[in-house]
């Protein structure tokens, strides 16, 4: 069963993934940043692909 520390860890990882994303549109809301970073984190976990570059 997950505890609060697991959720904090996922939050931290999601923020780091958002920073890797380097969006051109500014996002001011921290929750929105975590949400976008979480999408990248889940895609990496599901596909096993660690390359998030667009090129």
């Amino acid at each position: 069963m997950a505890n609060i520390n697991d959720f904090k860890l996922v939050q931290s990882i999601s923020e780091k993934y958002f920073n890797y994303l380097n969006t051109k549109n500014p996002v001011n809301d921290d929750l929105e940043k975590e949400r976008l970073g979480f999408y990248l984190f889940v895609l990496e976990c599901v596909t096993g692909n660690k390359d998030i570059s667009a090129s």
Side-chain angles (χ1 to χ4, degrees), residues 10-11 17 19 21 25 27 29 36:
V10 169
Q11 178 185 14
Y17 272 92
N19 292 333
L21 188 58
N25 298 331
V27 178
D29 187 25
L36 293 171

Side-chain angles (χ1 to χ4, degrees), residues 1-14 34 38:
M1 180 163 194
N3 60 25
I4 190 68
N5 291 330
D6 294 331
F7 290 105
K8 289 179 182 179
L9 182 61
V10 169
Q11 178 185 14
S12 173
I13 292 170
S14 297
E34 294 165 7
F38 181 74

Side-chain angles (χ1 to χ4, degrees), residues 2-54:
N3 60 25
I4 190 68
N5 291 330
D6 294 331
F7 290 105
K8 289 179 182 179
L9 182 61
V10 169
Q11 178 185 14
S12 173
I13 292 170
S14 297
E15 288 176 9
K16 289 178 184 177
Y17 272 92
F18 175 79
N19 292 333
Y20 292 144
L21 188 58
N22 291 329
T23 61
K24 294 179 183 175
N25 298 331
V27 178
N28 296 330
D29 187 25
D30 288 338
L31 190 60
E32 186 74 13
K33 291 177 183 179
E34 294 165 7
R35 183 180 65 85
L36 293 171
F38 181 74
Y39 291 155
L40 289 176
F41 176 58
V42 169
L43 284 172
E44 180 186 319
C45 290
V46 170
T47 63
N49 187 3
K50 294 187 179 215
D51 183 24
I52 62 170
S53 64

